[in-house]
Amino acid sequence: MIVGAGFAGYECARTLSRTAKGAAEIVLLNPHDYFLYVPLLPEVAAGILEPRRISVSLTGTLPGVRLVLGQAHDVNLDARRVAYTDPEDREGTLEYDRLVLTVGSVNKLLPIPGVAEHAHGFRGMPEALYLRDHITRQCELAGAAEDPDERAARTTFVVVGAGYTGTEVAAHGVLFTDALARQNTGLRDGPRPRWLLLDIADRLLPELDERLSHTAERVLRRRGVDVRTGTSVKEATPDGVLLDDGEFIDSRSLIWCVGVRPDPLVASMGLPTDRGRLCVDEYLGVPGRPEVFACGDAAAVPDLTRPGKVTPMTAQHAQRQGKVAARNVAASCGHGTARAYEHHDLGFMVDLGGVQAAANPLHVPLSGPLASAVTRGYHLMAMPGNRVRVAADWLLDAVLPRQGVQLGLVRSWSVPLDTETPEVARVPR
């Protein structure tokens, strides 16, 4: 049984299915019926890609895997049983012989007044759809506003966290709001929408090579993004954001991208953890529990390429760990031999929208249109499905104006920042 269908869980299920060839029952427990290709989520929020383009059907692409829709909330290790709640609030349990925990991560919270109430994260599809509607709605309300101060506040967007997600959200967001402003008569002759990107670190993308960081910052500043490093939020209110330097930014939009933390299910299991991540050995097994494996964001996997450290929480590692976990699960059942996880990163890519990107494939630094082509090519190869549809949307976006329409299907209260299930919109009970 595999719990979670992110990069690690999906790849584990697919590899196990191909290995077993019907000789074993493979059960995948997940809150929804699709694998979400998270790296392209900013393009959904910016109106470039339609939501289903980056949502790959689990039942359609994982033959031989039985999908159970539900959110796991308890693991009884002694009884080898997982309790879950399905989408209709019914309780259920599943028994297992082997368990692979790939529950992923949720938004990282900080004890800053007002943030939980007024900020929104960016981890799942509901949050991306909400942000796309919210940005469009704020621009439309600003275009109809007679008060210039209200107009300025509604067209000011604050992104906190200049890692992968925050940088890409700001890069795509400024292009999106510029397109909306050009289409809106009330905003066409006024000041451009304003974007701020804040981070307590001393540079953008602090986890990457400095050359990629400088390239991204140069592109953002050229587009008018107000990049502020060494800056954090002191308080969030309904009317704006108070920075730690005392400046108050009038805004109706606070986008929280400060990082992630392991799914709370990990902490509830009573097993040793490392900074919230489940401790495992180099074979992705849980010490003392030979029937339990874990990988992806939920697991502190030893990094054999950097002794004494654990692998970072990236899709690149999660996807490869999923394959190794599948092989080792099969080995524990007598099929093949176990293998330790070891992977040297192949470089990183940051999509900056338009024809701009920063990338270092195989550690060769690239920027501009070439980096953008390499980045998009990598995404198409990495996606397990919908490649033609994604490429078609990219082509249409290049030749047609952006569609600025807000449907209002995901409301603010549906996507709270402190949710333990960012992949599922909250519904009224």
Side-chain angles (χ1 to χ4, degrees):
M1 190 170 79
I2 303 164
V3 182
F7 277 91
Y10 181 89
E11 199 59 47
C12 182
R14 183 163 66 170
T15 304
L16 269 175
S17 176
R18 292 172 176 174
T19 303
K21 298 179 181 179
E25 182 185 15
I26 304 168
V27 178
L28 178 60
L29 177 65
N30 200 57
H32 46 71
D33 64 351
Y34 61 85
F35 160 76
L36 179 64
Y37 191 76
V38 177
L40 292 181
L41 204 57
E43 298 195 27
V44 172
I48 299 171
L49 296 177
E50 288 303 308
R52 285 188 297 177
R53 302 295 185 258
I54 65 170
S55 307
V56 179
S57 169
L58 295 176
T59 54
T61 58
L62 294 176
V65 176
R66 181 165 71 92
L67 173 65
V68 176
L69 292 179
Q71 180 71 39
H73 57 76
D74 182 66
V75 179
N76 188 325
L77 296 170
D78 294 328
R80 297 193 180 189
R81 185 180 298 118
V82 175
Y84 69 94
T85 305
D86 76 3
E88 297 183 349
D89 285 336
R90 297 177 299 180
E91 298 293 323
T93 59
L94 293 169
E95 296 183 352
Y96 62 84
D97 295 306
R98 300 292 186 275
L99 175 66
V100 185
L101 286 169
T102 59
V103 288
S105 54
V106 299
N107 291 308
K108 182 179 181 180
L109 300 177
L110 297 177
I112 299 176
V115 165
E117 294 79 14
H118 305 297
H120 290 283
F122 200 79
R123 287 294 300 158
M125 183 64 77
E127 293 169 319
L129 294 177
Y130 166 77
L131 182 59
R132 183 167 73 176
D133 271 5
H134 175 79
I135 291 173
T136 306
R137 183 165 54 251
Q138 293 306 309
C139 287
E140 291 171 347
L141 291 172
E146 297 181 359
D147 182 1
D149 291 336
E150 179 187 351
R151 187 181 305 120
R154 291 193 180 279
T155 54
T156 297
F157 304 89
V158 181
V159 181
V160 184
Y164 278 110
T165 304
T167 299
E168 291 189 344
V169 167
H172 283 283
V174 68
L175 296 179
F176 186 34
T177 54
D178 282 349
L180 295 177
R182 287 193 297 268
Q183 299 170 10
N184 193 308
T185 302
L187 298 178
R188 195 172 299 158
D189 299 326
R192 287 180 60 191
R194 181 188 181 195
W195 282 78
L196 290 87
L197 179 58
L198 316 177
D199 200 294
I200 196 65
D202 59 357
R203 63 183 176 91
L204 267 66
L205 303 166
E207 67 273 22
L208 300 188
D209 184 272
E210 286 194 24
R211 287 173 291 186
L212 297 184
S213 174
H214 294 326
T215 297
E217 183 171 350
R218 185 171 62 252
V219 170
L220 292 183
R221 290 191 183 278
R222 191 164 59 236
R223 290 178 183 168
V225 177
D226 186 355
V227 179
R228 301 192 187 186
T229 55
T231 304
S232 185
V233 174
K234 185 176 181 179
E235 183 180 0
T237 74
D239 299 318
V241 179
L242 177 64
L243 306 184
D244 57 3
D245 61 6
E247 182 181 0
F248 187 83
I249 306 295
D250 292 312
S251 174
R252 304 292 186 272
S253 309
L254 179 57
I255 307 163
W256 196 254
C257 304
V258 298
V260 296
R261 57 189 171 98
D263 190 288
L265 178 67
V266 173
S268 71
M269 295 179 61
L271 294 172
T273 59
D274 180 357
R275 296 184 180 181
R277 302 171 73 183
L278 192 62
C279 291
V280 298
D281 57 27
E282 65 270 26
Y283 296 95
L284 309 180
V286 175
R289 293 286 179 176
E291 77 283 1
V292 181
F293 300 79
C295 55
D297 288 357
V301 180
D303 192 341
L304 299 183
T305 67
R306 302 181 303 160
K309 297 185 178 181
V310 298
T311 57
M313 300 164 76
T314 66
Q316 187 178 138
H317 279 292
Q319 190 173 41
R320 286 162 176 79
Q321 287 169 8
K323 291 182 180 180
V324 173
R327 174 173 178 161
N328 293 347
V329 166
S332 73
C333 297
H335 183 89
T337 57
R339 186 180 74 184
Y341 177 76
E342 182 176 2
H343 170 67
H344 295 268
D345 73 76
L346 304 177
F348 298 94
M349 304 176 186
V350 182
D351 185 359
L352 301 174
V355 294
Q356 297 295 325
N360 63 343
L362 301 178
H363 306 289
V364 177
L366 301 174
S367 61
L370 178 58
S372 179
V374 170
T375 298
R376 288 192 164 184
Y378 170 80
H379 287 318
L380 288 179
M381 288 190 299
M383 291 190 67
N386 297 348
R387 296 186 181 96
V388 174
R389 290 184 171 93
V390 169
D393 273 6
W394 280 339
L395 177 61
L396 291 174
D397 181 69
V399 298
L400 296 176
R402 198 74 58 89
Q403 288 183 299
V405 177
Q406 60 101 10
L407 302 177
L409 299 178
V410 182
R411 309 304 297 176
S412 176
W413 54 265
S414 299
V415 285
L417 183 64
D418 60 352
T419 179
E420 296 182 359
T421 56
E423 67 274 11
V424 179
R426 181 174 293 177
V427 297
R429 300 299 185 192

